[in-house]
Amino acid sequence: MTFLTGWGRTAPTPARLARPRSAEEVAELVRRAPGRGVAVRGLGRSYGDAAQNSGGLVLDCTALTSWSLDETTGLVTAAGGLSLHDLMGALVPLGWFVPVTPGTRYVTVGGAVAADVHGKNHHADSSFGAHLRSLTLVTADGVGRTLTPGDELFWATVGGMGLTGVITEAVFQCLPIETSRVRVDVTRTRDLDHTLETMEATDHRYRYTVAWIDLLATGARMGRSVLTRGEHATRDELPRGADPLAFAPGSLLKAPAWAPNGLLNQVTVRAFNEAWYRRSRPGTGLIQKLAPFFHPLDSVDGWNRVYGSHGFVQYQFLVPFGEEATLRRIVSRLSALGVVSFLTVLKRFGPGTPGMLSFPAPGWTLALDIPAGRRGLAGLLREFDGWVAGAGGRIYLAKDSRMSAETMAAMYPRLAEWRKVRDEVDPAGVFRSDLARRLSL
Amino acid sequence: MKNALGAVDTVLLLGGRSEIGLAIVERLVRDGARRVVLAARDATAGPPPVIGAAEVHLLDFDASRPETHGEVIEAAAKLVGDLDVVIPAFGVLGSQRTYDADPVAAAEAVAVNYGGHVSAGLFAARRLREQGHGTLVVLSSVAGVRVRRANFVYGSAKAGLDGFAQGLGDALHGSGARVMVVRPGFVIGRMTEGMSPAPMSSTPGQVADAVIVGLRVDAEVVWVPGRLRVFFAVMRMLPRAVWRRMPR
Ligand SMILES: Cc1cc2nc3c(=O)[nH]c(=O)nc-3n(C[C@H](O)[C@H](O)[C@H](O)COP(=O)(O)OP(=O)(O)OC[C@H]3O[C@@H](n4cnc5c(N)ncnc54)[C@H](O)[C@@H]3O)c2cc1C
Ligand SMILES: NC(=O)c1ccc[n+]([C@@H]2O[C@H](COP(=O)([O-])OP(=O)(O)OC[C@H]3O[C@@H](n4cnc5c(N)ncnc54)[C@H](OP(=O)(O)O)[C@@H]3O)[C@@H](O)[C@H]2O)c1
């Protein structure tokens, strides 16, 4: 038995861990599933309990790493356990980039599909599922099936959090790039309204945009942000002599293996936020490498440990356009309470995919980290849940570790439709996770 | 499942009318529990009580019939799924004078206060171990910390229960399942009706509050009030000749 948690390091539960090395081994393990069922796990970068299965079996898919690229079309065929880190390391020097990358490269292809992940280009390119051509899924009967976007099961699997089966392979369209650099414009905004206005007015000019909000700024500066917007740089934008497709991201720093509880307090976080705000000098046409632009946190190995032994929760919600008042209400509440969040990120979403449980939809999404030991946190977030649900918004399952089944049902109107498809393909409930139990999926 | 902030989803109360037990259940429901099973003698005869917004199920349960305890645990799991918190809260106080006069009644009380907890506790532990999570909340008492002449039948059963619960907690270590031992002092309520409260007494609500805090931090032992821990550290060392003269 191994105790597993998500990235937030909360609510550990024991499970038997198996690491299949082929789709056949996956199928064999699924056929011999124990009574407490099977959960699928990639690199464990979801924050909560999605990739754990108390008392049952967990399939660690990270040994499934084969892949190939069709250099003429840019179609990539990748095994479910391949990490985007490894994939990018191989693709970028060949002049291709993944269609969508989350804020960390350390996720698997299977995890990216199961959570239908989004990146800074959501307003332009939608989420991962939009770029998929087909999936191979090992279902509860231990049979591998190939699915295409015409299948219901395909859209129950995209965003389906590993509860329809094991994604052993995915085929998706990649993006041609001339260089491994990004041309970046950085601006600071005065307050929340200014942030929203600027994003709305200028998002269409950039493939990638994101705002980092200084939650500790209050009063007239409430919601002040650093807006980072970028575009893949072209060859002629690089300085002479630069190797256009060089890509060698490394983890530079290592977070301490042990951190005292309360290390991240108001003082340290305020100092960090102030420094970040000041450091992010406004400018246009800055040439940046891919890694610091897309995955700044990956440069600190194991940064999630700085939150201490209680771990932390990430609260990421979405409110549709027109419901900015709810966003404002939550930001001002957080600012007023001085909630300590290391990085608070705001993103403007474009159209979503047909994924039945996919998170993204047109609107605004805000993500913040909060140490789990904070007093009164449960009540505060429950209150926010109510506001978000009331606004027709939702919470991201890949980040969630605490919402209730009722809240989830209220936020995901297509849950019943998803359940029907899942019940057909897995009538006995072989695929299960702690998240599925907590949310009565 | 317990969530990242310690809220649970399901609760099983054995001794489903216990004042302390219900006070704990009410608080768990307030904090997010949605499904409750109340198991009590002739429980299914009446309608289920309303506890917040929770779905409440009733099961018949008799602590003095250990051969039925396994079925009750299974039935509860069938009704609500994984058992996040199991609270065996049944017990009878009785009076030492009655027990002195009627040794058979004393043995029957012990069968409930100790024996019943052994079978129910072991069956519950088996289920929690399989789940890989869940907490068994055992209501011990300071009466068992050092047994007093004034109520040694009840006290000795609590002493046995306390030792049992600690041993079970150790046996479950590393399984994901836990045991929390609760040691209240005198609790002013139904069980002690008509008795004059001892020093450092508490109410069922206060016991329940302490249990909720203990569950949040995965405490192994909770004293109610907390001061009793220090008090009993001293009491335990009193010479026997002095202890023997404790009036109650
Ligand atoms: C620093 C950081 C930044 C992040 N930024 C973003 C972001 O910008 N946008 C975003 O969308 N997300 C973001 N995330 C979340 C992350 O992208 C998702 O949680 C992703 O699913 C993690 O992939 P994983 O391989 O680690 O999967 P795990 O966390 O191991 O699993 C996640 C889910 O996928 C399922 N799963 C995994 N592999 C398979 C498979 N082969 N077959 C079927 N199901 C499978 C699991 O059952 C589980 O439900 C971020 C996470 C971190 C830590
Ligand atoms: N009150 C205190 O001062 C105090 C102090 C320390 C510890 N405790 C312990 O805390 C626990 C709860 O006590 P409480 O204060 O809540 O008392 P309570 O309200 O009297 O509850 C005790 C419950 O036990 C039930 N019970 C007794 N015999 C049973 C049997 N054979 N089968 C099934 N159920 C049976 C009773 O059921 P009926 O409703 O059917 O009678 C009653 O509901 C007990 O273990 C007690 O020993 C109490």
Side-chain angles (χ1 to χ4, degrees):
Chain A
M1 288 283 179
T2 310
F3 278 81
L4 297 171
T5 70
W7 191 243
R9 302 174 74 235
T10 50
T13 55
R16 186 162 71 78
L17 202 58
R19 196 160 179 265
R21 275 155 307 174
S22 65
E24 292 69 46
E25 280 186 30
V26 169
E28 186 56 32
L29 284 159
V30 170
R31 278 194 289 267
R32 288 190 282 118
R36 300 264 313 157
V38 182
V40 197
R41 188 174 177 93
L43 281 162
R45 254 46 175 207
S46 48
Y47 280 70
D49 45 9
Q52 58 197 64
N53 180 19
S54 189
L57 176 66
V58 173
L59 298 188
D60 170 347
C61 291
T62 56
L64 307 171
T65 57
S66 62
W67 68 280
S68 65
L69 164 73
D70 180 333
E71 293 214 40
T72 53
T73 59
L75 275 184
V76 163
T77 303
L82 180 67
S83 76
L84 293 192
H85 173 78
D86 289 341
L87 184 59
M88 280 180 215
L91 282 185
V92 171
L94 299 174
W96 294 97
F97 197 59
V98 292
V100 169
T101 175
T104 171
R105 290 185 303 280
Y106 297 100
V107 302
T108 62
V109 167
V113 174
D116 196 5
V117 300
H118 57 272
K120 294 180 182 181
N121 55 340
H122 192 277
H123 64 285
D125 299 330
S126 193
S127 50
F128 204 88
H131 306 272
L132 284 169
R133 293 300 164 83
S134 69
L135 292 173
T136 309
L137 186 72
V138 173
T139 46
D141 49 10
V143 174
R145 319 182 184 200
T146 301
L147 306 173
T148 59
D151 299 319
E152 263 193 323
L153 184 54
F154 181 94
W155 294 113
T157 301
V158 173
M161 299 307 284
L163 296 169
T164 55
V166 187
I167 299 156
T168 52
E169 195 172 272
V171 180
F172 49 95
Q173 178 68 53
C174 285
L175 180 76
I177 48 173
E178 282 185 32
T179 74
S180 58
R181 316 292 203 285
V182 189
R183 179 169 39 77
V184 187
D185 291 354
V186 178
T187 34
R188 290 186 199 159
T189 61
R190 292 184 305 271
D191 55 27
L192 189 61
D193 286 341
H194 188 213
T195 310
L196 301 184
E197 277 160 28
T198 315
M199 289 181 95
E200 216 170 305
T202 64
D203 257 11
H204 65 279
R205 290 201 259 126
Y206 302 86
R207 185 183 284 270
Y208 302 103
T209 70
V210 73
W212 161 83
I213 298 194
D214 178 3
L215 261 196
L216 293 178
T218 50
R221 295 184 308 170
M222 197 263 295
R224 73 171 181 177
S225 307
V226 176
L227 207 59
T228 314
R229 295 163 296 173
E231 208 50 69
H232 288 286
T234 52
R235 219 164 264 233
D236 51 352
E237 286 167 339
L238 294 197
R240 272 163 173 279
D243 175 359
L245 289 167
F247 183 66
S251 304
L252 307 170
L253 301 164
K254 216 169 177 68
W258 171 89
N261 293 326
L263 176 69
L264 279 191
N265 55 31
Q266 280 263 27
V267 178
T268 49
V269 173
R270 192 181 294 275
F272 171 83
N273 278 250
E274 195 64 38
W276 183 286
Y277 189 77
R278 303 248 160 262
R279 201 200 70 176
S280 311
R281 293 243 180 74
T284 51
L286 313 164
I287 298 294
Q288 220 178 14
K289 290 182 180 168
L290 289 171
F293 179 77
F294 286 108
H295 316 115
L297 286 168
D298 285 351
S299 64
V300 186
D301 198 19
W303 62 267
N304 57 337
R305 288 193 296 262
V306 304
Y307 284 92
S309 65
H310 297 302
F312 65 108
V313 298
Q314 173 145 123
Y315 194 71
Q316 179 169 6
F317 66 91
L318 158 88
V319 290
F321 292 129
E323 295 292 343
E324 288 75 11
T326 304
L327 175 65
R328 212 168 285 128
R329 197 168 167 201
I330 292 178
V331 171
S332 62
R333 186 73 191 281
L334 290 166
S335 297
L337 288 171
V339 166
V340 167
S341 171
F342 202 46
L343 272 184
T344 309
V345 172
L346 178 73
K347 169 75 203 150
R348 205 174 143 265
F349 275 161
T353 63
M356 296 170 197
L357 297 185
S358 284
F359 172 66
W364 300 95
T365 181
L366 186 80
L368 61 141
D369 295 335
I370 314 172
R374 190 191 159 92
R375 279 183 83 105
L377 183 58
L380 181 70
L381 296 185
R382 258 207 306 250
E383 197 178 351
F384 289 175
D385 289 350
W387 299 350
V388 169
R394 59 178 78 124
I395 285 169
Y396 190 9
L397 296 178
K399 305 287 181 78
D400 176 59
S401 58
R402 33 76 39 204
M403 78 166 140
S404 70
E406 282 79 12
T407 308
M408 146 95 199
M411 291 176 171
Y412 285 83
R414 297 181 66 194
L415 178 59
E417 190 186 337
W418 176 84
R419 264 204 194 108
K420 204 171 139 265
V421 178
R422 193 274 316 267
D423 290 349
E424 255 162 49
V425 69
D426 184 7
V430 167
F431 290 99
R432 254 179 266 176
S433 63
D434 287 358
L435 175 130
R437 287 192 185 91
R438 178 167 58 81
L439 299 178
S440 301
L441 292 181
Chain B
M1 294 291 312
K2 194 165 167 174
N3 75 15
L5 302 178
V8 299
D9 194 29
T10 64
V11 196
L12 166 61
L13 178 63
L14 298 164
R17 281 183 292 266
S18 145
E19 225 180 337
I20 296 176
L22 284 171
I24 300 170
V25 172
E26 272 161 23
R27 282 159 179 75
L28 290 172
V29 168
R30 175 201 66 196
D31 292 347
R34 297 177 306 148
R35 282 168 297 177
V36 171
V37 182
L38 304 178
R41 282 182 292 194
D42 304 319
T44 51
V50 175
I51 309 176
E55 158 194 325
V56 180
H57 301 270
L58 300 176
L59 287 176
D60 288 323
F61 167 77
D62 187 340
S64 62
R65 296 183 53 209
E67 70 281 6
T68 62
H69 292 179
E71 291 157 30
V72 173
I73 301 285
E74 283 318 308
K78 214 173 232 123
L79 285 168
V80 298
D82 281 10
L83 304 173
D84 297 341
V85 179
V86 179
I87 314 165
F90 52 85
V92 285
L93 184 56
S95 80
Q96 187 57 41
R97 204 164 340 130
T98 323
Y99 294 143
D100 288 339
D102 184 355
V104 174
E108 280 165 5
V110 170
V112 170
N113 289 342
Y114 180 57
H117 280 271
V118 169
S119 54
L122 287 172
F123 278 118
R126 182 185 291 175
R127 170 74 206 186
L128 300 191
R129 182 190 285 281
E130 259 169 42
Q131 293 176 184
H133 70 100
T135 306
L136 184 71
V137 176
V138 174
L139 291 166
S140 175
S141 165
V142 295
V145 173
R146 187 168 184 183
V147 177
R148 282 171 287 130
R149 184 192 127 158
N151 71 350
F152 65 84
V153 169
Y154 176 79
S156 63
K158 285 295 187 196
L161 172 59
D162 199 287
F164 166 78
Q166 291 181 56
L168 185 61
D170 289 338
L172 286 173
H173 188 81
S175 71
R178 295 166 185 280
V179 176
M180 185 168 97
V181 182
V182 186
R183 296 187 187 133
F186 186 99
V187 181
I188 305 163
R190 198 173 70 171
M191 185 176 264
T192 56
E193 215 178 306
M195 299 165 67
S196 59
M200 289 189 257
S201 58
S202 57
T203 62
Q206 286 165 337
V207 176
D209 287 338
V211 167
I212 296 299
V213 172
L215 283 172
R216 197 171 304 142
V217 301
D218 287 331
E220 290 182 324
V221 180
V222 171
W223 299 76
V224 197
R227 290 174 284 149
L228 279 173
R229 187 171 74 92
V230 180
F231 182 73
F232 267 86
V234 177
M235 288 301 109
R236 257 196 282 232
M237 285 183 305
L238 283 186
R240 187 80 178 268
V242 179
W243 187 250
R244 183 180 297 141
R245 293 199 191 93
M246 290 292 277
R248 51 183 282 172

